[in-house]
Amino acid sequence: LTTPILQGLASLNSYEWRITANTVGPTEIDRSDITASGQSDSANNLRHQVLTQSSTSADDPEGYTSTTESWQDATKSCWFDGEEYSSSAANPVGSDFGTVLSGVFDIVIPAGNAQLVGDETVAGVAAKHYSFTIEGLGAGTGTQVETNQGDIWVAADGGYLLKYQVATTMRTAAEGTTAAEVFQLTFTLELTSVNQPVSVQMPAAC
């Protein structure tokens, strides 16, 4: 099972999406958290997203948090960093060839050893739910893989990605070893609505 993302999204009139990504390790305070959400109105070539990133570490326990909001239409991109708006003109070459290239160069979610779990519904769309493990995780590094779990939901009609999530835990040495470090990753990408009305408006400040 392989599921191309760009080709699937290009087939939709509109959609809303959400991403969460969290990494922790080697200590609990060493962590990075990313959340993002957005809307796309393909008919009017309008897109909007909000991205929040935060990070802490043993060297910087206070860490930081930043949020950026951005918009895009056929002529420009605009973003707001919490203090000021910035914008730039769209690249006409990118506008002309972007659609063509997205059919040639795609982001593909691989799940080669996927097993069908059953029929479910995601974002109001009938979906096939598969579970899988990430093949080759930690191979050749001496790392011990403690968690390797993946799930993917694919539209029953159209075959496009609706939801993808993975959870991994890896240990650099055997449990109980003094030098052992543990690293965890959880990641979820999902569509929250498909072909439903969305409201995307470029701010006047752009």
Side-chain angles (χ1 to χ4, degrees), residues 14-93:
S14 62
Y15 56 89
E16 296 178 286
W17 55 270
R18 178 171 59 232
I19 288 176
T20 60
N22 312 96
T23 59
V24 181
T27 69
E28 287 296 324
I29 200 171
D30 294 300
R31 66 176 296 137
S32 172
D33 298 281
I34 295 173
T35 60
S37 61
Q39 301 86 34
S40 178
D41 178 351
S42 301
N44 296 302
N45 201 9
L46 288 166
R47 291 171 176 80
H48 168 246
Q49 76 170 32
V50 179
L51 169 66
T52 298
Q53 302 178 82
S54 63
S55 177
T56 58
S57 67
D59 294 331
D60 183 16
E62 293 296 322
Y64 78 91
T65 298
S66 66
T67 298
T68 303
E69 191 169 9
S70 61
W71 300 262
Q72 181 180 332
D73 64 13
T75 63
K76 62 179 172 293
S77 296
C78 177
W79 54 96
F80 178 62
D81 62 6
E83 295 183 358
E84 61 181 359
Y85 287 85
S86 303
S87 61
S88 63
N91 183 334
V93 174

